[in-house]
């Protein structure tokens, strides 16, 4: 698989050094997303490292009001990643945490406020980084399917990730992209929201999967694993024949990997 970039091939010294924030969900539930991200970044001309000291970005603690725990995790993440040219993550929500919430969270911390702002400025969601920073214009893979793309809330609203994945997905041979009605609507996951308000969450995801099914797609793609786990679980319980996959896996051509919620 190869990526087409607007730039000529880079020498090793010219290649940007990228720190991959793998995310907790990818590490624990879907490591194939991390490997796909590495492949995509390397094919785009990046030197990629995934610091072994990384843990959670602190988003669950932050969203739950555990501010001191969120600060500790934010500082740990900054220390692990600030030496890279860029920080890239296959998750709009984790990317949004670093880019949008770290500066606010640490603004009263003299040692960390400037470092948080610097890290935020070089943090990107994976596909937006490939398109907007590395100038990738196409992927050389084939994937015969009719696919719907779900816009995850954090990536869409906090990072402006909307057209970038569609731009690259539309270059995949055999892949037809169809749009879901009210495509900006939440899937109902919302991190701890789905735990605190399960009945509301279930109603929201049921509405989303109904609209996904109405497109006639046999593949559902998104850029956040939390959304994908939620959607795959509901689709499975409803007995719908729709595969669910992360956008990185599709762009990397990992068709041999079982779909999320599927069996190997």
């Amino acid at each position: 698989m190869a990526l087409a970039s607007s730039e000529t091939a880079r020498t090793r010294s010219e290649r940007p050094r990228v720190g991959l924030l793998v995310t907790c969900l990818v590490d624990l539930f879907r490591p194939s997303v991390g490997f796909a991200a590495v492949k995509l970044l390397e094919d785009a001309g990046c030197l990629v490292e995934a610091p072994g000291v990384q843990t959670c970005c602190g988003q669950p603690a932050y969203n739950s009001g555990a501010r001191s725990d969120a600060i500790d995790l934010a500082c740990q993440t900054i220390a692990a990643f600030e030496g890279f040219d860029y920080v890239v993550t296959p998750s709009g929500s984790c990317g949004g945490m670093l880019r949008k919430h770290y500066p606010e969270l640490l603004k009263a911390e003299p040692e960390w406020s400037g470092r948080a702002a610097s890290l935020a400025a070089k943090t990107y969601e994976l596909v937006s980084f490939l398109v907007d920073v590395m100038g990738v214009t196409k992927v050389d893979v084939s994937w015969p399917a009719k696919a719907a793309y779900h816009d995850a809330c954090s990536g869409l609203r906090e990072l402006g990730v909307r057209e970038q994945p569609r731009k690259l997905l539309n270059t995949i041979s055999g892949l037809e992209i169809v749009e879901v009605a009210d495509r900006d609507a939440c899937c109902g996951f919302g991190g701890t929201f789905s735990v605190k308000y399960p009945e509301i969450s279930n109603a929201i995801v049921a509405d989303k999967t109904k609209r996904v099914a109405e497109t006639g797609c046999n593949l559902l793609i998104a850029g956040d694993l939390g959304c994908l786990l939620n959607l795959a679980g509901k689709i499975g319980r409803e007995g719908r024949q729709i595969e669910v996959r992360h956008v990185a896996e599709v762009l990397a051509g990992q068709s041999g990997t079982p779909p999320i919620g599927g069996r190997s």
Side-chain angles (χ1 to χ4, degrees):
M1 190 276 295
L3 300 180
S5 172
S6 61
E7 299 182 33
T8 57
R10 299 170 175 83
T11 64
R12 185 173 181 85
S13 62
E14 295 172 333
R15 293 166 68 185
R17 185 166 169 256
V18 171
L20 180 65
L21 178 65
V22 176
T23 83
C24 299
L25 291 183
V26 168
D27 182 38
L28 295 172
F29 294 103
R30 193 73 173 177
S32 57
V33 174
F35 292 117
V38 170
K39 180 168 181 55
L40 290 168
L41 290 167
E42 289 183 340
D43 284 352
C46 302
L47 294 171
V48 186
E49 298 178 42
V53 295
Q54 65 179 291
T55 57
C56 178
C57 70
Q59 182 185 174
Y62 180 76
N63 291 344
S64 299
R67 194 174 182 87
S68 62
D69 291 333
I71 288 174
D72 288 344
L73 289 166
C75 293
Q76 176 178 287
T77 302
I78 292 169
F81 284 94
E82 61 187 343
F84 293 96
D85 297 324
Y86 297 99
V87 180
V88 176
T89 180
S91 165
S93 59
C94 294
M97 181 66 188
L98 271 64
R99 193 173 183 96
K100 297 296 183 180
H101 301 297
Y102 273 17
E104 185 280 328
L105 183 66
L106 296 169
K107 65 182 179 181
E109 304 288 333
E111 180 185 351
W112 294 98
S113 59
R115 296 166 72 178
S118 295
L119 191 80
K122 60 183 179 181
T123 296
Y124 292 86
E125 182 273 339
L126 172 66
V127 184
S128 67
F129 178 76
L130 293 172
V131 173
D132 299 333
V133 178
M134 298 304 296
V136 175
T137 58
K138 64 178 293 186
V139 293
D140 184 19
V141 299
S142 175
W143 198 304
K146 185 175 183 179
Y149 187 85
H150 166 65
D151 294 289
C153 293
S154 293
L156 176 65
R157 293 169 174 82
E158 295 183 338
L159 301 178
V161 181
R162 180 196 289 271
E163 298 307 323
Q164 301 95 325
R166 290 173 173 84
K167 180 176 182 179
L168 295 186
L169 289 169
N170 276 315
T171 69
I172 295 177
S173 176
L175 188 67
E176 176 189 357
I177 302 296
V178 294
E179 295 296 345
V180 180
D182 295 330
R183 69 183 194 180
D184 292 355
C186 179
C187 75
F189 176 61
T192 54
F193 173 86
S194 60
V195 178
K196 292 180 179 178
Y197 308 104
E199 293 182 359
I200 299 174
S201 175
N202 184 60
I204 295 172
V205 73
D207 186 57
K208 173 63 74 171
T209 56
K210 177 177 180 292
R211 291 175 179 175
V212 168
E214 287 171 350
T215 68
C217 71
N218 56 14
L219 174 62
L220 177 61
I221 305 169
D224 265 85
L225 190 54
C227 299
L228 290 165
L229 291 169
N230 188 43
L231 289 161
K234 187 62 174 178
I235 286 170
R237 292 190 296 275
E238 292 174 337
R240 302 188 189 275
Q241 300 304 305
I242 302 173
E243 289 192 356
V244 179
R245 295 181 182 273
H246 193 281
V247 65
E249 298 174 311
V250 178
L251 293 175
Q254 291 185 348
S255 57
T257 303
I260 296 170
R263 297 183 179 181
S264 58

